[in-house]
């Protein structure tokens, strides 16, 4: 089912506005508070024409896999979508379109962090970030090379986890002192036991096949004070994807991450010893809950020397990740600069310590 938002005052297309956090009409300026919208209206169950070739059935679950062709309610154009797309814009009339059947059943997100950085701000921030890259080739910084900048809601799982850690270690304290002609070393041995139970809430992992895991991890942190109960209008005007991996598929990723946290915590509680030798350590991570959430990401495609570079920006905080190409010439110049400076310092020291000059 295709959901589109029409302005109740003037009938124009509405889209989510990251500055006000509302559903906004560009033509008359009307803003609608999404949290106050009645959910049948927000999620398009009301009067919209139903234009795909499937009958609506209780099994939202099964039928969502089968629908692949959607039509724009505005202009009738066929919407070109990837199988994982859940929100897009009509390439003919530009209207924001949400595909509600791909956001239902087990694919219904429970939480969302809405975009708070708009396209113009994202573009400006990216230009500024480019200028800082002193080692990139000349001409790379030109903002005109930005090929596309796309706001995407990326699917994430947020895990609540419990980490149970047990460790036994032998630790030592060493004291040495001199008496007469002898140096004495005294070693005390301690049996150290630790048992900890730690809860971690909402540990995120991206669940999209298309997104590079490392890049997504680096976009963290997301601030959870902006987490909202999911409503479809937040997606209006953006691209959105559904998950390719369920929470069980990705558990091993958060498991190893949180194992590390518990391990570090145990190490931090054992201090004041000269040596620590573990002879037993067991860390067990248990899933308490996993919630499906959508997080905002700006993807920037950048053209340089016939190849494309991709950068990602956290759509909530503006943090940018990605690797610009390095210029060999500039790196050489940079190192020459450094060695010249180092040489200068050595010379000054030589002069200061050389008596005759004073
Ligand atoms: Zn309007
Ligand atoms: Zn259209």
């Amino acid at each position: 089912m295709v959901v589109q938002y029409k302005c109740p005052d003037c009938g124009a297309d509405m889209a989510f506005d990251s500055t006000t956090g509302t559903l906004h009409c560009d033509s008359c300026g009307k803003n609608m508070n999404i949290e106050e919208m009645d959910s049948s209206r927000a999620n398009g169950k009301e009067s919209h024409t139903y234009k795909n070739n499937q009958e609506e059935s209780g099994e939202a679950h099964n039928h969502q896999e089968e629908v692949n062709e959607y039509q724009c309610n505005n202009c009738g154009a066929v919407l070109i979508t990837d199988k994982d797309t859940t929100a897009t814009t009509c390439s003919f009339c530009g209207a924001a379109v949400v595909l509600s059947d791909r956001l239902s059943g087990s694919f219904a997100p429970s939480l969302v962090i809405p975009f708070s950085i708009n396209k113009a701000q994202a573009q400006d921030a990216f230009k500024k970030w480019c200028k800082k890259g002193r080692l990139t080739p000349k001409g790379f910084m030109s903002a005109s090379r930005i090929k596309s900048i796309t706001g995407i809601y990326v699917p994430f799982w947020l895990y609540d986890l419990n980490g149970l850690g047990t460790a036994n270690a032998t630790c030592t304290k060493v004291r040495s002192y001199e008496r007469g002609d002898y140096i004495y070393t005294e070693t005390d041995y301690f049996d150290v036991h630790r048992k900890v139970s730690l809860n971690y809430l909402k540990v995120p992992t991206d669940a999209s096949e298309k997104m590079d895991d490392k890049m997504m991890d680096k976009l963290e942190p997301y601030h959870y004070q902006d987490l909202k109960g999911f409503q479809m209008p937040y997606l209006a005007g953006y691209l959105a994807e559904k998950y390719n991996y369920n929470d069980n598929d990705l558990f091993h990723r958060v498991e190893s991450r949180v194992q590390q946290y518990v391990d570090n915590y145990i190490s931090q509680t054992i201090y004041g010893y000269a040596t620590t030798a573990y002879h037993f350590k067991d860390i067990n991570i248990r899933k308490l809950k996993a919630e499906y959430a959508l997080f905002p990401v700006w993807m920037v495609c950048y053209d340089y020397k016939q190849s494309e570079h991709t950068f990602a920006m956290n759509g909530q905080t503006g943090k940018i990740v990605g690797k610009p190409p390095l210029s060999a010439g500039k790196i050489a110049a940079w190192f020459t600069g450094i060695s010249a400076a180092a040489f200068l310092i050595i010379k000054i020291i030589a002069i200061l310590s050389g008596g005759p000059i004073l």
Side-chain angles (χ1 to χ4, degrees):
M1 178 177 170
V2 172
V3 177
Q4 288 171 261
Y5 297 96
K6 292 282 175 196
C7 175
D9 290 355
C10 74
D13 294 302
M14 300 184 90
F16 178 70
D17 174 44
S18 58
T19 311
T20 56
T22 61
L23 198 59
H24 175 76
C25 171
D26 252 352
S27 63
C28 74
K30 187 181 176 65
N31 286 331
M32 287 172 77
N33 186 323
I34 295 170
E35 278 155 277
E36 285 167 10
M37 274 170 88
D38 136 13
S39 89
S40 65
R41 187 181 159 75
N43 298 330
K45 303 244 159 64
E46 218 179 48
S47 57
H48 292 92
T49 31
Y50 195 58
K51 286 193 177 173
N52 60 52
N53 45 14
Q54 298 283 322
E55 280 300 301
E56 192 167 21
S57 73
E59 303 275 320
H61 213 93
N62 298 335
H63 99 249
Q64 48 127 17
E65 291 295 339
E66 296 151 27
V67 183
N68 280 313
E69 210 177 275
Y70 298 88
Q71 270 182 310
C72 175
N73 289 336
N74 246 15
C75 70
V78 171
L79 299 166
I80 319 263
T81 70
D82 179 277
K83 66 174 180 35
D84 298 322
T85 303
T86 57
T88 184
T89 48
C90 170
S91 48
F92 289 89
C93 72
V97 173
V98 180
L99 307 177
S100 65
D101 54 334
R102 291 181 177 179
L103 290 160
S104 61
S106 57
F107 284 99
S110 46
L111 298 162
V112 60
I113 294 179
F115 273 90
S116 47
I117 290 177
N118 66 33
K119 195 173 196 162
Q121 289 166 327
Q123 215 148 356
D124 278 353
F126 183 70
K127 279 185 221 163
K128 258 187 217 149
W129 182 78
C130 277
K131 283 185 191 139
K132 280 192 202 146
R134 296 199 180 83
L135 300 182
T136 51
K138 205 169 176 242
F140 177 72
M141 309 314 180
S142 137
S144 61
R145 293 186 191 280
I146 296 180
K147 202 173 154 198
S148 69
I149 174 156
T150 314
I152 304 176
Y153 280 101
V154 176
F156 275 77
W157 287 105
L158 306 183
Y159 295 84
D160 285 0
L161 303 158
N162 173 263
L164 212 57
T166 315
N168 297 333
T170 301
C171 302
T172 61
K173 281 187 181 174
V174 182
R175 191 167 76 97
S176 64
Y177 53 92
E178 261 181 75
R179 197 157 294 165
D181 290 340
Y182 296 98
I183 297 170
Y184 294 87
T185 304
E186 211 178 84
T187 305
D188 291 323
Y189 290 84
F190 299 86
D191 265 338
V192 176
H193 305 283
R194 290 289 184 269
K195 189 166 187 171
V196 298
S197 170
L198 301 163
N199 285 335
Y200 295 88
L201 302 180
K202 296 192 168 53
V203 182
T205 295
D206 91 272
S208 163
E209 202 175 13
K210 287 192 196 78
M211 299 294 165
D212 180 73
D213 290 347
K214 282 201 187 103
M215 202 182 220
M216 291 299 116
D217 287 350
K218 283 188 198 145
L219 286 178
E220 288 180 33
Y222 280 93
H223 303 307
Y224 289 166
Q225 76 264 21
D226 293 340
L227 260 185
K228 302 207 183 289
F230 178 75
Q231 294 263 50
M232 287 187 201
Y234 289 118
L235 310 189
Y238 293 87
L239 264 183
E241 296 263 305
K242 65 183 171 71
Y243 65 83
N244 302 104
Y245 305 109
N246 68 30
D247 60 320
N248 289 328
D249 296 337
L250 298 178
F251 178 68
H252 66 277
R253 280 186 60 200
V254 279
E255 184 185 33
S256 56
R257 180 174 174 179
V258 170
Q259 249 162 358
Q260 195 58 53
Y261 295 166
V262 176
D263 199 353
N264 291 346
Y265 183 85
I266 292 173
S267 311
Q268 279 167 22
T269 66
I270 302 176
Y271 56 91
Y273 300 102
T275 63
T276 302
Y278 289 99
H279 32 83
F280 176 79
K281 196 190 270 177
D282 178 56
I283 296 170
N284 186 26
I285 308 298
R286 216 159 36 93
K287 180 180 89 185
L288 304 174
K289 190 168 92 175
E291 287 172 293
Y292 179 25
L294 300 178
F295 284 179
V297 176
W298 283 105
M299 295 298 291
V300 181
C301 262
Y302 202 79
D303 245 352
Y304 182 74
K305 289 202 171 156
Q306 278 96 49
S307 71
E308 251 181 36
H309 303 268
T310 310
F311 300 87
M313 180 190 293
N314 180 318
Q316 180 194 31
T317 65
K319 181 179 181 186
I320 298 173
V321 299
K323 225 159 112 200
L326 299 179
S327 152
K330 282 207 177 177
I331 293 172
W334 193 62
F335 278 109
T336 317
I338 287 181
S339 53
F343 179 66
L344 206 68
I345 290 163
I346 291 161
K347 259 188 119 169
I348 291 167
I349 292 167
I351 290 166
L352 286 178
S353 56
I357 291 176
L358 295 171

